[in-house]
Amino acid sequence: MKVVVVGSGGREHAIAWKLLDSPRVTQVYCLPGNGGTACLEGCENVAIAATDLTGIGDFAKENHVDLVVVGPEAPLAAGLADYLQTLDIPVFGPSQAGAKIEASKAWAKALMEAAQIPTAKAAVFDTYEAAACYVQTQGAPIVVKADGLAAGKGVTVATTEAEAIAALERIFGGEFGTAGQQVVIESVLEGQEVSVLAVTDGKTIVPLLPAQDHKRVGEGDTGPNTGGMGVYAPVPWVTPELMQRIQQTILEPALGALQDRGIQYCGVLYAGLMVTPAGDPYVVEFNCRFGDPETQVVLPLLETPLIEVLSACVEGRLASLGALQWRNAVALSVVLAAGGYPGSYRKGDLIQGIPDAMAQGVLVFHAGTRWQDGQWYTHGGRVLNVTALAPDFATAQAKAYAGVQAIQFADCYYRRDIGYRILKSSAHKGEYNS
Ligand code: AMP
Ligand code: GLY
């Protein structure tokens, strides 16, 4: 099979790598890919942007591609899956209508309400005045969200009214463009966050292993939010009973509500959840795609060939695939970022030591790199994901950080405490300081 993977991050590197695990996959094309996918055997980068719908369609047609797997949300929200379907190209990723579950928080909230899915109480506004008035009646703490896609930057968990009002000013002031034409204002949920990515063919929905990421840039989960600085899977406190509850009260009702709207959803439905201290799961957000960096720990644990899972979804036969098989191991991944991220950062620094790290048995997924003249260079805020598999988290953590130590580039930043929430070790106190 020839497969196109759309995107250029660590998630897409992990998807391409995992697809090539199966002899059924003879060729992967990454559009546009990165320095990691450029060097993956069986994979070729093609310089077509992830949002170039016609470019992707033309390429897939001309090269007789059997399946297109879409990594990021933007092309899905722009209608890539719909377009490929008009060309009779099988695609893993929902239609534009399905992608609304991520692309419009107001739409997702209405769907959750209709399906009685547990989520924070919310109200939607399309003027600053009405929104500000609501904030004043509700008081703080309160959560303010731009409705549309804002690359993870449209959410403010405000601890004071003034902070919430300032967020409204930014949103209605145009900081997020059309994504800020509406706001969702909701109550604060307390608890622990967990990501449950589920695959679906539109009829059956099957969760993957739960994962937990570290979103804040600083150690001890402090500082600004990022796309994720580290992640691990599975999550020890997410019991089979809790997973069953998530399946019954969140995933299945969400799929049912999509069906009620006439949406045949094929792809990943990603539930970002808050589990309250009482143990009740609430939806914080839905995404219409694989998570990044969650994919970089979840896929390495998957024993069932990924191509079998994705093909079963695309062909509408997920129910007969049988239970997914998982390795009897855990995975932990550390993100190496360019200094300054999530603010401004440098690009173009030489990266050294990746083969040494890999020789130690870690997986190195490239998130923001470029391959040029036989060398890798930094090319994004998040540069590399160093993933270690081990029988337990303490070993996985030590192994991942040993791999990290082998890699060098100017201004490299990473958190030294990934996994601390589930480990009793003192790693976050500087045990891994280089
Ligand atoms: P979202 O883009 O909706 O996932 O929001 C980004 C982050 O903001 C989430 O991962 C949470 O950490 C936080 N967040 C969003 N909504 C809430 C909420 N209702 N209560 C508490 N935290 C929230
Ligand atoms: N890890 C968060 C996301 O993929 O949205």
Side-chain angles (χ1 to χ4, degrees):
M1 285 178 80
K2 293 185 187 175
V3 186
V4 160
V5 176
V6 175
S8 61
R11 164 183 54 204
E12 288 75 22
H13 186 181
I15 292 170
W17 167 82
K18 191 66 192 172
L19 282 169
L20 285 162
D21 226 14
S22 161
R24 268 186 75 195
V25 177
T26 51
Q27 178 71 50
V28 172
Y29 299 104
C30 231
L31 278 52
N34 61 32
T37 54
C39 299
L40 190 59
E41 207 185 317
C43 182
E44 188 184 323
N45 284 353
V46 182
I48 296 174
T51 46
D52 179 359
L53 271 50
T54 51
I56 294 167
D58 289 349
F59 178 85
K61 248 329 197 222
E62 278 161 24
N63 292 279
H64 308 286
V65 161
D66 302 290
L67 174 67
V68 175
V69 183
V70 187
E73 63 278 13
L76 293 167
L80 177 58
D82 311 70
Y83 178 64
L84 294 174
Q85 260 156 8
T86 65
L87 302 176
D88 276 333
I89 300 164
V91 53
F92 182 82
S95 62
Q96 185 170 42
K100 257 191 130 170
I101 203 154
E102 174 167 2
S104 169
K105 290 183 192 292
W107 192 85
K109 275 285 174 189
L111 178 138
M112 285 187 254
E113 206 169 295
Q116 296 183 319
I117 293 170
T119 187
K121 181 183 130 214
V124 179
F125 300 94
D126 53 17
T127 66
Y128 168 81
E129 289 72 23
C133 185
Y134 182 75
V135 163
Q136 276 148 9
T137 57
Q138 296 294 308
I142 196 158
V143 185
V144 176
K145 302 182 172 186
D147 174 60
L149 295 179
K153 298 191 180 93
V155 175
T156 302
V157 182
T159 48
T160 63
E161 264 181 50
E163 216 184 313
I165 298 290
L168 290 174
E169 281 167 0
R170 284 199 306 277
I171 293 171
F172 285 108
E175 186 170 322
F176 304 105
T178 53
Q181 281 171 350
Q182 284 190 315
V183 291
V184 175
I185 302 181
E186 64 183 38
S187 54
V188 174
L189 295 166
E190 309 275 359
Q192 282 237 58
E193 285 186 79
V194 60
S195 305
V196 176
L197 284 56
V199 290
T200 176
D201 60 0
K203 298 175 289 191
T204 302
I205 186 157
V206 177
L208 307 181
L209 289 181
Q212 202 169 26
D213 71 356
H214 290 270
K215 289 200 168 87
R216 304 297 191 106
V217 74
E219 279 152 26
D221 294 317
T222 56
N225 256 321
T226 70
M229 294 302 296
V231 61
Y232 43 85
V235 184
W237 53 265
V238 179
T239 59
E241 293 71 32
L242 178 55
M243 280 303 280
Q244 201 176 6
R245 213 165 138 202
I246 292 166
Q247 173 78 1
Q248 288 168 353
T249 66
I250 294 169
L251 298 176
E252 284 171 359
L255 189 62
L258 288 162
Q259 288 164 346
D260 291 346
R261 285 158 177 71
I263 295 165
Q264 170 74 24
Y265 191 108
C266 170
V268 170
L269 181 63
Y270 162 151
L273 305 173
M274 188 75 83
V275 180
T276 64
D280 300 321
Y282 284 73
V283 175
V284 174
E285 63 166 348
F286 280 120
N287 293 322
C288 64
R289 50 167 175 85
F290 282 107
D292 189 342
E294 288 90 336
T295 304
Q296 292 90 300
V297 287
V298 170
L299 290 187
L301 293 171
L302 180 65
E303 217 156 50
T304 310
L306 181 61
I307 190 67
E308 304 304 336
V309 181
L310 304 190
S311 296
C313 290
V314 169
E315 292 162 18
R317 51 176 179 77
L318 188 57
S320 55
L321 181 70
L324 298 179
Q325 301 300 311
W326 296 98
R327 276 183 223 287
N328 191 13
V330 304
L332 181 141
S333 187
V334 179
V335 173
L336 272 61
Y341 173 80
S344 59
Y345 52 84
R346 303 201 318 210
K347 280 186 188 177
D349 287 311
L350 179 67
I351 307 169
Q352 290 176 297
I354 292 176
D356 305 325
M358 290 173 74
Q360 295 184 25
V362 295
L363 298 161
V364 180
F365 295 117
H366 294 232
T369 72
R370 197 166 47 84
W371 176 250
Q372 196 187 333
D373 303 328
Q375 309 262 33
W376 284 294
Y377 295 88
T378 62
H379 196 58
R382 288 186 295 173
V383 177
L384 297 168
N385 312 135
V386 177
T387 299
L389 267 62
D392 60 81
F393 282 109
T395 312
Q397 190 191 50
K399 196 170 153 186
Y401 279 104
V404 166
Q405 299 291 328
I407 297 173
Q408 302 95 37
F409 57 87
D411 237 5
C412 171
Y413 170 76
Y414 57 90
R415 277 181 57 171
R416 292 170 166 79
D417 64 347
I418 300 305
Y420 82 87
R421 282 176 184 275
I422 49 163
L423 281 164
K424 291 197 178 72
S425 86
S426 58
H428 62 291
K429 294 187 185 124
E431 193 174 294
Y432 293 108
N433 278 336
S434 50

